[in-house]
Amino acid sequence: MTTDMYQPMLPLWDEPPTERSDPPAAPLSLPGPLPIITAEHVTGPLGMHMLIDLGILIPLDDAHAYRRDDGESLYGRAAITAAALPKRITAMTVCGATAAWVWHGGDFPATVDILSSSHHRTRVFGRPIRTRARRVPADQITSIGTLSLTTPERTACDLALSPIEEIRAHSWQPVIAELMKQYDFGAQPCLDILDGCSYLHTAKQARDVLTDFACIA
């Protein structure tokens, strides 16, 4: 008597070979909490321009940008400004148009304004550093994260102290009004600050601007 050797059971039909499917391309994503984004962070210039076109990034120049969401928050704007400053001036206080952008938002300013008696040739994303050699008391300076900046009241004063042509060109009038509204102060705190700035040749003009916005119309 013979015994058939065991044979493994074979399928009754041919199974098609398993097809290899490549994983879908990962969606274009931003890195972690970097205030300033470069093309290296988003798969190159094409990815960066795509995110700018989609309104996710706001360009600072041809190679740098920041998130729109960051630009719409106080702490985001402070982080962007702190990251933008050259290392040798990171400890300095921003003022004027730069402080106004941090407090109020809008378009990133055309100049980077700092309190300093030194001249700085370095440019920040193509923008000149504009220094203000002003004596600003400590109680008119505050900080957000690592950024030192003038208080909203002092910032409003600095805008009002600008040349009248600059006030008109940059529409500082509504920005001053928005600072007052957003941070809940009136003209009087600013006038008190200006009492200590009488040595500045635009001090009288600033008082007029703060008490009668019609004077620059």
Side-chain angles (χ1 to χ4, degrees):
M1 182 175 177
T2 61
T3 307
D4 294 335
M5 296 182 65
Y6 171 78
Q7 295 183 1
M9 182 176 289
L10 299 176
L12 299 178
W13 59 86
D14 292 333
E15 294 181 355
T18 303
E19 294 183 2
R20 178 182 174 182
S21 58
D22 294 328
L28 195 60
S29 60
L30 291 170
L34 293 173
I36 306 294
I37 306 297
T38 68
E40 296 176 353
H41 298 136
V42 288
T43 69
L46 184 61
M48 186 166 181
H49 288 302
M50 182 184 301
L51 291 170
I52 290 172
D53 290 342
L54 291 171
I56 296 171
L57 294 181
I58 305 297
L60 289 165
D61 61 12
D62 292 338
H64 302 85
Y66 62 86
R67 295 174 178 81
R68 178 181 294 277
D69 288 348
D70 289 344
E72 292 176 350
S73 76
L74 173 63
Y75 293 98
R77 293 190 297 270
I80 292 165
T81 304
L85 295 177
K87 289 184 178 179
R88 61 193 178 90
I89 65 172
T90 51
M92 296 184 180
T93 298
V94 298
C95 61
T98 308
W101 183 74
V102 175
W103 291 119
H104 175 63
D107 295 332
F108 194 85
T111 59
V112 175
D113 298 344
I114 61 173
L115 295 175
S116 174
S117 57
S118 303
H119 180 69
H120 298 273
R121 298 183 182 276
T122 307
R123 298 177 78 86
V124 177
F125 306 125
R127 297 160 172 82
I129 296 175
R130 187 169 59 170
T131 59
R132 292 286 182 263
R134 293 174 181 170
R135 299 187 298 270
V136 178
D139 62 351
Q140 295 170 22
I141 294 174
T142 188
S143 62
I144 302 175
T146 61
L147 181 69
S148 174
L149 73 166
T150 50
T151 62
E153 295 88 345
R154 176 68 202 212
T155 301
C157 288
D158 286 339
L159 297 181
L161 285 163
S162 303
I164 201 71
E165 296 79 11
E166 182 180 329
I167 294 176
R168 294 192 181 105
H170 294 284
S171 301
W172 290 145
Q173 174 189 6
V175 174
I176 293 170
E178 283 298 321
L179 287 172
M180 289 180 172
K181 179 180 178 181
Q182 188 172 356
Y183 297 99
D184 193 23
F185 64 93
Q188 191 55 53
C190 297
L191 297 176
D192 293 341
I193 290 173
L194 290 175
D195 287 340
C197 302
S198 57
Y199 61 93
L200 296 173
H201 71 278
T202 55
K204 182 180 183 304
Q205 165 210 285
R207 299 183 75 88
D208 294 338
V209 169
L210 290 165
T211 56
D212 182 11
F213 285 156
C215 73
I216 65 171

